Amino acid sequence: MGKGGNDQENGITRNISWEEIRKHNKRQDQWLVINSKVYDITEWCNRHPGGRRVISHYAGEDATDPFTAFHPDKTFVSKFLKPLYVGDVAQEDQNVDKIVTDFRELRKTAEKMGLFDANLWFFAAHLGHIILLEVLAWLNMWYFGVGWTTFIVTSCILTIMQAQAGWLQHDLGHLSVFTSSKVNHWVHKMVIGGIKAASATWWNFRHFQHHAKPNIITKDPDVGVPYLFLLGEKMPLMWAKKRKGFMPYQWQHDYFFLLGPPLLLPIDFHIENIKCVFKWRLWSDLAWTVFFFTRFFIMYTPFLGGWGAFGLYMFVRFLESHWFVWVTQMNHIPMDIDKDHGKDWLSLQVHATCNVKQSVFNDWFTGHLNFQIEHHLFPTMPRHNYHRIKPLVESLCKKHSLEYQDKDLLPAFVDIVRSLKKSGQLWYDAYYYG
């Protein structure tokens, strides 16, 4: 499997029903549909640049909209599809729901408005303020000398720098800065590796799955933390029914403050990065990470010594982790978390995401992830254009009776805790009294 068919070469187009297509959704047998054409990706998915899982999540489904969303240069990418071609979706099965056609028209409108064109001065200014913050952090310690006050101030400046570098690498990873995908990938490696000491390949593998199937149990790695936390309304009941779990989930909204924000970046992400780099032999990613630590220790060892510099690094990661977790989870944890029901692209993303109201501070603080709905619908769109497409997305959601949630920042944070408390209580009631 995975080599396509020969019928097209013989001048015969094979017509395939959706009933047949849906059968090919197993790891050893995977078909998907793009623009009414059927492709066998069984073997090729292992060579997919975005990782095997992200494309396999659409086995047996229509992948037209995620394919369009993730690939800026569709002409180039389409060349890889030709050897995988199996046939066309049968004519009688090519009816598309109105919500799907309306969304595709919205995307065409966004393209005509030039909303996928990046303003390089915006990103240059963003990079400039990251470099400025790093210089200020070092100058603070150089000028004022070593002391607890200096240590704390330097840590805070570096935390801001690291958080903002995180938003920039996010832009580059989504290919939304440069017109060339190769340039985006190269600069992404430089920023995430050289400034943040992380693997670009690891980030792509994890993050693209999240975008392809947000809040889908077993498919979105961001909700795959059931041994520590149970999220949504369905997962707690599933685990309670199977008598699974070892944590006191009814108190997860309390221990979240101890195990969630404090430990994600300092512990979990470091372990994941190291594991992936050596398992997949990502030597170029490793080289950038080595560059980061070499530069960091050269800068701060003269002031703090080796262990002191390491302590500074870990403390910055500890502070940044709080920033990262609260910002990234406010858009998803309170939303619908469920098994995969094959929803259309618009419904899937709107049900799994919510926005936080626009302001100069919110845009900067969240890296424009306060426009989470727009970002998920159009992941390659430069973030400085989200506010322009937002009214059109709201209008489309209203037309199709989809709830478009747009919250204030602090209530969005509070909703994380409320959601965790509700999910934990659902598990407790079902486990002990269900």
Side-chain angles (χ1 to χ4, degrees), residues 103-222:
F103 173 74
R104 291 174 184 174
E105 284 300 317
L106 174 61
R107 182 177 180 89
K108 291 179 182 178
T109 299
E111 291 171 351
K112 291 178 182 177
M113 293 172 64
L115 299 187
F116 291 91
D117 299 331
N119 181 346
L120 293 182
W121 288 110
F122 171 89
F123 292 106
H126 189 77
L127 176 61
H129 103 291
I130 291 169
I131 295 172
L132 177 62
L133 286 167
E134 181 157 33
V135 172
L136 286 175
W138 184 85
L139 286 175
N140 176 68
M141 190 162 287
W142 172 78
Y143 184 80
F144 292 104
V146 178
W148 282 110
T149 302
T150 307
F151 184 90
I152 295 299
V153 171
T154 295
S155 298
C156 290
I157 297 173
L158 286 175
T159 298
I160 297 171
M161 183 274 289
Q162 283 292 315
Q164 293 301 320
W167 307 145
L168 179 59
Q169 72 82 19
H170 180 263
D171 299 321
L172 292 159
H174 279 294
L175 312 180
S176 63
V177 179
F178 300 101
T179 55
S180 167
S181 294
K182 287 185 178 180
V183 175
N184 276 303
H185 285 306
W186 190 87
V187 181
H188 183 220
K189 282 181 176 288
M190 180 183 70
V191 173
I192 195 173
I195 299 180
K196 295 196 58 63
S199 163
T201 306
W202 162 79
W203 184 88
N204 289 339
F205 175 77
R206 181 185 178 93
H207 194 64
F208 291 165
Q209 289 184 73
H210 162 70
H211 268 270
K213 292 287 185 177
N215 283 15
I216 298 300
I217 299 170
T218 73
K219 294 187 176 182
D220 180 357
D222 287 3

Side-chain angles (χ1 to χ4, degrees), residues 34-83:
I34 299 174
N35 294 319
S36 297
K37 295 188 179 297
V38 184
Y39 300 96
D40 184 343
I41 61 165
T42 308
E43 294 179 3
W44 190 82
C45 67
N46 294 312
R47 304 193 301 274
H48 182 237
R52 173 183 59 81
R53 291 184 184 177
V54 66
I55 190 172
S56 297
H57 288 338
Y58 276 90
E61 299 181 25
D62 189 339
T64 302
D65 292 314
F67 173 83
T68 303
F70 291 137
H71 301 102
D73 190 348
K74 296 163 192 62
T75 303
F76 173 76
V77 176
S78 295
K79 296 177 181 179
F80 296 94
L81 295 175
K82 291 181 180 180

Side-chain angles (χ1 to χ4, degrees), residues 342-400:
K343 296 178 182 178
D344 64 272
W345 186 249
L346 177 63
S347 300
L348 173 68
Q349 304 299 341
V350 173
H351 287 159
T353 58
C354 66
N355 278 9
V356 167
K357 294 186 183 300
Q358 181 184 19
S359 71
V360 173
F361 174 78
N362 286 353
D363 291 355
W364 174 84
F365 184 73
T366 68
H368 287 85
L369 293 183
N370 50 325
F371 293 94
Q372 191 73 210
I373 296 174
E374 289 72 26
H375 170 57
H376 266 256
L377 291 174
F378 310 103
T380 61
M381 181 181 289
R383 57 177 157 124
H384 53 71
N385 287 331
Y386 291 157
H387 71 282
R388 297 176 61 190
I389 195 65
K390 181 179 185 289
L392 301 182
V393 174
E394 284 187 278
S395 177
L396 184 59
C397 288
K398 183 177 181 181
K399 176 180 179 180
H400 291 283

